[in-house]
Amino acid sequence: MTESVTCEYFLKNNHSLKKFIDDNKGEKFVLVTSGGTRVPIEKNTVRFIDNFSTGKRGSSSAEYFLQNDYFVIFFYRDTSLKPFDRSIEKMFDHLKVNNDNMLAFDGIDKTKQQKFLNILSLKNKYKKNLFLISFTELFEYYEALKVILSILRPLKKDVIIYLAAAVSDFYIDEKHMADHKIQSRNGEILLKLTPFKKGDIIELLCGSKENFLVTFKLETDEELLYSKSKKSFEYYNHQVVIGNILSRRSKEVILYTPKEKGELSETIINLSKEETEKNVDIEEKIVKYLCEIHNKYRC
Amino acid sequence: MTESVTCEYFLKNNHSLKKFIDDNKGEKFVLVTSGGTRVPIEKNTVRFIDNFSTGKRGSSSAEYFLQNDYFVIFFYRDTSLKPFDRSIEKMFDHLKVNNDNMLAFDGIDKTKQQKFLNILSLKNKYKKNLFLISFTELFEYYEALKVILSILRPLKKDVIIYLAAAVSDFYIDEKHMADHKIQSRNGEILLKLTPFKKGDIIELLCGSKENFLVTFKLETDEELLYSKSKKSFEYYNHQVVIGNILSRRSKEVILYTPKEKGELSETIINLSKEETEKNVDIEEKIVKYLCEIHNKYRC
């Protein structure tokens, strides 16, 4: 079975992650963060601010890292997609119980059946190479990330930190937070969003200098992408920033790496028409490219 | 197969729902709404306000309505739980592909296997009695609800309208909405939440006078529950309001029905210690109780 813990449990007891790393000494590791973080609006939380992320990028990237012989620590939002499950979820709609009281496919052809079986086989093949930790809220994410990074730090160049989670830049300060569910009868409401302190994040990541750091930028405004990615390199000791424009993120990304004088090299990874038709995941190409750079970095 | 459409499709083409109703003339129907509605913060939506709802109440209620011989229109948030799936999701972790290239259980005992098989059998048994429509955002929810109610209205007393979805009371007016992803570099941000016009909802529901109307109230503050439920009866032509306190909603609800002089009768439905230990769903008891009242109402 894949080891699986919640953030809450992990913050009290992290020896199973340490064991996962010890048991696989000498291997390559990757931390994949995935999904969005929740920011509560009320102390007794009924409502929260969230992010469109389904965790598709993180979960499919994790699958390809596994298939590239990485051991994966998958740190994901409890409601978002898990590796492999995203592709077999629909299997439920095509299963029945047959006369022998056994599971059987129903109403789909052999090719589709085989596709499901192949993914299930992959899931089982790699289950011991995968370690799951789930989070829900922004502050929980940061607390646990701090601990995970400190455990991974000694792996030095053998670990990729791949921060695909869509982490909120804002939170609602407790002093501005209602105790109970906000009532609508009182008319319009102003919510005060406080930007998360960049300093805390920089400090967190700067401790992991030797690890191979990949972060993501997502914008809807194309003009901001280069300049904001450049800023990222000034803050952290980065290897790669993966730039996304919301509307075409599943078909094209820009990989930024350092060039000279603070400028960035841009490598565009995209899907050809043929690949799009064949439902190729862009993450397969992103991960392949990163594995190549990471291998060079390790030497 | 269960018929399944998105809101977007349904708003353009609703003949399949009409057919579902025509094909099952003379039967009892229920509309179950489920999950939370999303309220976008930006026009190019990256962030939104959401609600803690997992859709557990709606999805399990739908299961019990099906088992009580109702035909169910399940109007649910695209990311929330679907009937039966909530109980078999974990099945993935216990499946493998065996040597004959067939699906087989792995690492769980016969009792647990049988439990999964039973639920899968139920899912298949009722698949033609279930019609799925998925929504994402608040305004989409209202637009489609309007159409669904108008289609169900002629069923008169034969239909229960069971509004279990956690619908946002607020939205962000387009004129206060940023075009692009809000940037955090500019410091604190004020979000203006506009209460949704109660009048629109009242008008929407008052048209369905003869249908059997069940709505939900969820509060974190116990003192508000009775008074707010009472208000609901003043607004709509109600049969039942189901009151929930956030912290114990899975173990206890209060069913409010009209008494006299505008006061309400309260019926508490809760799980005994024994039932809790046996993982009985409180929705099984709620639905059983409602079916009894609805049967009387039909006569």
Side-chain angles (χ1 to χ4, degrees):
Chain A
M1 276 293 272
T2 296
E3 191 98 36
S4 175
V5 294
T6 62
C7 239
E8 202 186 344
Y9 178 86
F10 176 75
L11 285 168
K12 284 180 212 145
N13 186 341
N14 57 47
H15 85 271
S16 54
L17 177 60
K18 285 180 180 157
K19 191 174 176 307
F20 177 74
I21 290 166
D22 279 348
D23 286 351
N24 302 296
K25 230 174 199 158
E27 300 288 350
K28 292 176 288 185
F29 288 84
V30 61
L31 166 68
V32 176
T33 72
S34 185
T37 56
R38 201 172 95 158
V39 171
I41 291 182
E42 299 118 341
K43 285 178 194 159
N44 282 296
T45 311
V46 173
R47 303 190 187 91
F48 50 86
I49 296 180
D50 213 328
N51 177 297
F52 77 97
S53 170
T54 58
K56 196 260 179 187
R57 172 128 307 161
S59 58
S60 56
S61 298
E63 293 169 20
Y64 295 111
F65 276 120
L66 286 166
Q67 291 173 71
N68 278 280
D69 302 323
Y70 280 76
F71 283 72
V72 177
I73 296 110
F74 190 65
F75 183 44
Y76 73 109
R77 166 70 177 274
D78 53 357
T79 53
S80 72
L81 294 169
K82 285 189 284 179
F84 303 115
D85 287 2
R86 67 182 179 103
S87 312
I88 41 177
E89 264 179 5
K90 283 184 188 139
M91 199 165 82
F92 282 144
D93 295 331
H94 307 293
L95 287 183
K96 65 172 181 181
V97 183
N98 69 13
N99 293 337
D100 305 330
N101 197 35
M102 300 278 281
L103 283 173
F105 284 106
D106 187 30
I108 47 167
D109 61 32
K110 285 276 169 203
T111 320
K112 277 193 184 150
Q113 292 181 20
Q114 197 54 52
K115 223 171 150 190
F116 283 131
L117 292 174
N118 292 346
I119 295 161
L120 192 60
S121 297
L122 280 178
K123 180 181 158 92
N124 279 304
K125 180 175 176 188
Y126 292 111
K127 65 184 173 188
K128 288 194 173 158
N129 301 8
L130 180 62
F131 191 102
L132 301 175
I133 307 170
S134 65
F135 61 83
T136 309
E137 295 187 3
L138 178 66
F139 285 95
E140 195 185 41
Y141 168 88
Y142 274 111
E143 281 309 302
L145 183 61
K146 221 180 279 182
V147 180
I148 300 169
L149 289 177
S150 74
I151 294 173
L152 296 180
R153 201 163 292 143
L155 295 171
K156 295 186 177 170
K157 291 185 170 183
D158 288 340
V159 64
I160 299 179
I161 310 291
Y162 183 85
L163 301 177
V167 182
S168 176
D169 303 322
F170 297 96
Y171 64 99
I172 296 165
D173 200 304
E174 241 186 61
K175 66 176 186 266
H176 301 310
M177 212 185 268
D179 274 328
H180 287 291
K181 187 182 171 192
I182 302 172
Q183 298 299 319
S184 57
R185 59 184 171 196
N186 308 322
E188 274 186 353
I189 279 179
L190 286 178
L191 271 187
K192 191 175 262 183
L193 306 184
T194 309
F196 198 82
K197 282 185 210 140
K198 279 259 186 270
D200 292 356
I201 311 164
I202 296 170
E203 209 189 304
L204 189 62
L205 289 171
C206 283
S208 301
K209 250 178 214 157
E210 288 179 89
N211 305 153
F212 188 92
L213 181 61
V214 183
T215 66
F216 289 75
K217 277 270 162 249
L218 175 108
E219 295 295 337
T220 55
D221 183 353
E222 194 148 1
E223 286 177 21
L224 285 173
L225 202 54
Y226 185 88
S227 63
K228 292 198 66 175
S229 300
K230 215 172 124 180
K231 266 240 150 73
S232 283
F233 278 92
E234 290 165 22
Y235 288 137
Y236 321 123
N237 187 57
H238 252 101
Q239 271 63 43
V240 183
V241 172
I242 301 184
N244 295 270
I245 292 297
L246 179 66
S247 58
R248 55 176 194 272
R249 68 191 185 286
S250 59
K251 283 182 192 155
E252 182 187 298
V253 297
I254 307 172
L255 267 69
Y256 297 104
T257 48
K259 203 161 64 176
E260 52 193 26
K261 290 181 192 160
E263 292 302 316
L264 305 178
S265 281
E266 300 183 41
T267 307
I268 291 175
I269 294 187
N270 53 19
L271 296 180
S272 67
K273 218 175 166 181
E274 213 188 352
E275 287 168 327
T276 307
E277 278 162 13
K278 277 188 185 165
N279 288 319
V280 171
D281 289 320
I282 193 167
E283 291 78 13
E284 183 172 1
K285 299 178 84 175
I286 298 173
V287 168
K288 189 169 173 273
Y289 189 85
L290 285 178
C291 291
E292 283 169 18
I293 320 183
H294 182 228
N295 273 335
K296 284 182 201 150
Y297 177 80
R298 289 174 76 217
C299 300
Chain B
M1 276 293 272
T2 296
E3 191 98 33
S4 175
V5 294
T6 63
C7 239
E8 201 185 344
Y9 178 86
F10 175 74
L11 284 168
K12 285 179 212 146
N13 185 342
N14 57 47
H15 85 272
S16 55
L17 178 60
K18 285 179 179 156
K19 191 176 177 304
F20 178 74
I21 290 167
D22 279 348
D23 286 351
N24 301 295
K25 231 174 199 160
E27 300 288 349
K28 292 176 288 183
F29 288 85
V30 61
L31 165 68
V32 176
T33 71
S34 185
T37 55
R38 203 172 93 159
V39 171
I41 291 182
E42 298 120 341
K43 284 178 193 156
N44 283 295
T45 311
V46 173
R47 302 189 188 94
F48 50 86
I49 296 181
D50 213 327
N51 176 298
F52 76 98
S53 170
T54 59
K56 196 256 176 188
R57 170 128 309 159
S59 57
S60 55
S61 298
E63 294 168 21
Y64 295 111
F65 276 118
L66 287 166
Q67 291 174 71
N68 278 281
D69 302 322
Y70 280 76
F71 283 72
V72 177
I73 297 111
F74 190 65
F75 183 44
Y76 73 108
R77 165 70 177 274
D78 53 357
T79 52
S80 72
L81 293 169
K82 285 189 285 179
F84 303 114
D85 288 3
R86 66 180 180 104
S87 312
I88 40 178
E89 264 179 4
K90 284 185 189 138
M91 199 165 82
F92 282 144
D93 295 330
H94 306 292
L95 287 182
K96 64 173 183 182
V97 183
N98 69 14
N99 292 337
D100 304 330
N101 197 34
M102 299 280 279
L103 282 174
F105 284 106
D106 187 30
I108 48 165
D109 61 32
K110 285 275 168 202
T111 320
K112 278 192 183 151
Q113 293 181 20
Q114 197 53 52
K115 224 172 148 186
F116 283 132
L117 292 174
N118 292 346
I119 296 162
L120 191 61
S121 296
L122 281 178
K123 181 181 159 93
N124 280 305
K125 179 175 177 188
Y126 292 112
K127 64 185 174 187
K128 288 195 172 156
N129 301 7
L130 180 62
F131 191 102
L132 301 175
I133 307 169
S134 66
F135 62 82
T136 309
E137 294 185 5
L138 178 66
F139 285 96
E140 195 185 40
Y141 168 87
Y142 274 110
E143 280 310 301
L145 183 62
K146 222 181 279 180
V147 180
I148 299 170
L149 288 177
S150 74
I151 295 174
L152 295 181
R153 201 164 293 144
L155 294 172
K156 296 187 176 170
K157 292 186 170 182
D158 288 339
V159 64
I160 300 179
I161 310 291
Y162 183 84
L163 301 177
V167 182
S168 178
D169 303 322
F170 298 96
Y171 65 98
I172 296 166
D173 199 305
E174 240 187 61
K175 66 175 186 266
H176 302 309
M177 213 187 267
D179 274 329
H180 287 292
K181 185 181 171 194
I182 303 171
Q183 298 298 320
S184 57
R185 59 181 174 202
N186 308 322
E188 275 185 352
I189 278 179
L190 285 179
L191 272 188
K192 191 175 264 185
L193 305 184
T194 309
F196 198 83
K197 280 187 213 138
K198 279 260 187 267
D200 292 357
I201 312 164
I202 295 170
E203 207 188 306
L204 188 61
L205 289 171
C206 282
S208 302
K209 250 180 215 157
E210 287 179 90
N211 304 154
F212 188 91
L213 180 61
V214 183
T215 67
F216 288 75
K217 276 271 160 249
L218 176 107
E219 294 296 335
T220 57
D221 184 352
E222 193 147 3
E223 287 177 20
L224 286 173
L225 203 53
Y226 184 88
S227 62
K228 290 198 66 176
S229 299
K230 215 173 122 179
K231 267 240 151 72
S232 284
F233 278 93
E234 291 165 22
Y235 288 138
Y236 322 122
N237 186 57
H238 251 103
Q239 271 63 43
V240 184
V241 171
I242 301 185
N244 294 270
I245 293 298
L246 178 65
S247 57
R248 54 176 194 275
R249 68 190 185 286
S250 58
K251 283 183 194 155
E252 182 187 300
V253 298
I254 307 172
L255 267 70
Y256 297 104
T257 48
K259 203 161 63 176
E260 51 194 27
K261 290 180 191 160
E263 291 303 317
L264 306 178
S265 279
E266 301 182 39
T267 307
I268 291 175
I269 293 187
N270 53 19
L271 296 178
S272 67
K273 219 176 165 180
E274 213 187 349
E275 287 169 326
T276 308
E277 277 162 14
K278 277 187 185 165
N279 288 319
V280 171
D281 289 322
I282 193 166
E283 291 78 11
E284 183 172 359
K285 298 178 85 175
I286 298 173
V287 168
K288 188 168 173 274
Y289 189 84
L290 286 177
C291 292
E292 282 168 21
I293 320 183
H294 182 228
N295 271 337
K296 285 181 201 152
Y297 178 81
R298 290 174 76 216
C299 299

